[in-house]
Amino acid sequence: MVENEFLDRTKAVNGCFSMVLLSIFLPALPYFLESREALISKGLFYPLIYLTQFLVIFTLYMLFFRRREGLGKGEMKGRYLAVFIFGLFVIQFLLPRALGLTKSEDWLTGQMSLPGWTLLFNALLLTFIVPVYEEIIFRGCLFNALMYWFNDRVYWSALVLAATFALMHTQYTDPRTFFLLFLVSLLLTAARVKTKGLGLPVTLHMIMNGSATALSYLFMATSVR
């Protein structure tokens, strides 16, 4: 009985890790398109990457992963949401000031300078689409795999996951941003563990991306004036 449970969990973890590897491979596909330069100039290259990852990863998640342990919605309780939103507020708005990080990274500034509907399209994807597949991969599949490799040691799994999450965001360059992403990952992992699911981490991730995008746009609009 114990051996069967071990084999079942091993197979599940192998499947999860395959999803992680797939998420690393998928963003490279649009770089092989002949129209890549035209897409970049129109501000549609990154949306293509976001949508490709979402369509593939979310489809596989719905078909094979959503009923696995810790990969469902989890317990969405109001008190959890309030506590974690406060923690997110501290990391996203108070700590950057304490660290002297007072302006947006060049990558985000570039996104905010896109024209008209392209800006809105990018902002909507960053807010509502990217958090879904990133949480499936990081707080879902990769966390489960790390828990297996570290013999269910939550703290080691969370720390390695946080480092991986920060380093995978290669569009950023400031070390202080990577530190903040490290803390954000720890917060999102705590939400995942506490609620036993991905519903709250996805919600928090959406709030984080949406507020960062909105504030960057407002900052740029104010600067132009």
Side-chain angles (χ1 to χ4, degrees), residues 77-149:
K77 295 182 179 180
R79 66 176 184 274
Y80 291 155
L81 182 61
V83 169
F84 284 107
I85 285 179
F86 176 75
L88 189 62
F89 173 80
V90 171
I91 295 172
Q92 193 171 10
F93 298 109
L94 300 185
L95 272 182
R97 291 185 175 277
L99 295 172
L101 195 61
T102 56
K103 66 175 184 176
S104 299
E105 287 263 8
D106 292 341
W107 174 82
L108 190 54
T109 302
Q111 291 289 292
M112 293 303 102
S113 63
L114 293 171
W117 72 269
T118 310
L119 170 60
L120 178 61
F121 187 45
N122 274 265
L124 289 174
L125 291 178
L126 283 170
T127 302
F128 298 107
I129 296 299
V130 173
V132 174
Y133 68 76
E134 282 199 348
E135 290 309 307
I136 290 172
I137 292 300
F138 287 104
R139 254 58 60 182
C141 290
L142 186 53
F143 182 70
N144 276 9
L146 289 169
M147 285 287 284
Y148 173 78
W149 294 331

Side-chain angles (χ1 to χ4, degrees), residues 23-220:
S23 73
I24 296 173
F25 171 75
L26 284 173
L29 292 180
Y31 284 91
F32 294 97
L33 294 174
E34 292 183 2
S35 58
R36 178 169 62 92
E37 295 300 328
L39 290 169
I40 291 174
S41 66
K42 294 177 181 178
L44 297 176
F45 185 69
Y46 286 110
L48 179 60
I49 291 177
Y50 303 150
L51 288 173
T52 300
Q53 287 187 284
F54 175 77
L55 290 173
V56 174
I57 290 171
F58 187 71
T59 299
L60 291 174
Y61 167 77
M62 293 299 292
L63 289 174
F64 304 111
F65 294 91
R66 63 191 177 96
R67 298 188 185 281
R68 295 186 181 183
E69 182 181 358
L71 296 183
K73 180 181 177 181
E75 303 170 1
M76 291 290 289
K77 295 182 179 180
R79 66 176 184 274
Y80 291 155
L81 182 61
V83 169
F84 284 107
I85 285 179
F86 176 75
L88 189 62
F89 173 80
V90 171
I91 295 172
Q92 193 171 10
F93 298 109
L94 300 185
L95 272 182
R97 291 185 175 277
L99 295 172
L101 195 61
T102 56
K103 66 175 184 176
S104 299
E105 287 263 8
D106 292 341
W107 174 82
L108 190 54
T109 302
Q111 291 289 292
M112 293 303 102
S113 63
L114 293 171
W117 72 269
T118 310
L119 170 60
L120 178 61
F121 187 45
N122 274 265
L124 289 174
L125 291 178
L126 283 170
T127 302
F128 298 107
I129 296 299
V130 173
V132 174
Y133 68 76
E134 282 199 348
E135 290 309 307
I136 290 172
I137 292 300
F138 287 104
R139 254 58 60 182
C141 290
L142 186 53
F143 182 70
N144 276 9
L146 289 169
M147 285 287 284
Y148 173 78
W149 294 331
F150 285 110
N151 295 319
D152 293 323
R153 293 182 176 89
V154 175
Y155 295 114
W156 278 110
S157 301
L159 289 171
V160 173
L161 176 60
T164 305
F165 179 76
L167 293 174
M168 287 291 286
H169 285 76
T170 54
Q171 67 268 40
Y172 299 111
T173 57
D174 194 312
R176 293 170 294 182
T177 302
F178 288 111
F179 175 65
L180 293 173
L181 286 170
F182 182 88
L183 295 180
V184 164
S185 180
L186 291 179
L187 180 77
L188 295 177
T189 303
R192 192 271 201 204
V193 172
K194 189 68 177 178
T195 62
K196 300 179 178 64
L198 299 178
L200 183 55
V202 168
T203 302
L204 293 170
H205 202 146
M206 287 180 176
I207 292 171
M208 178 182 71
N209 283 13
S211 57
T213 301
L215 287 175
S216 295
Y217 178 76
L218 289 174
F219 178 78
M220 285 192 63

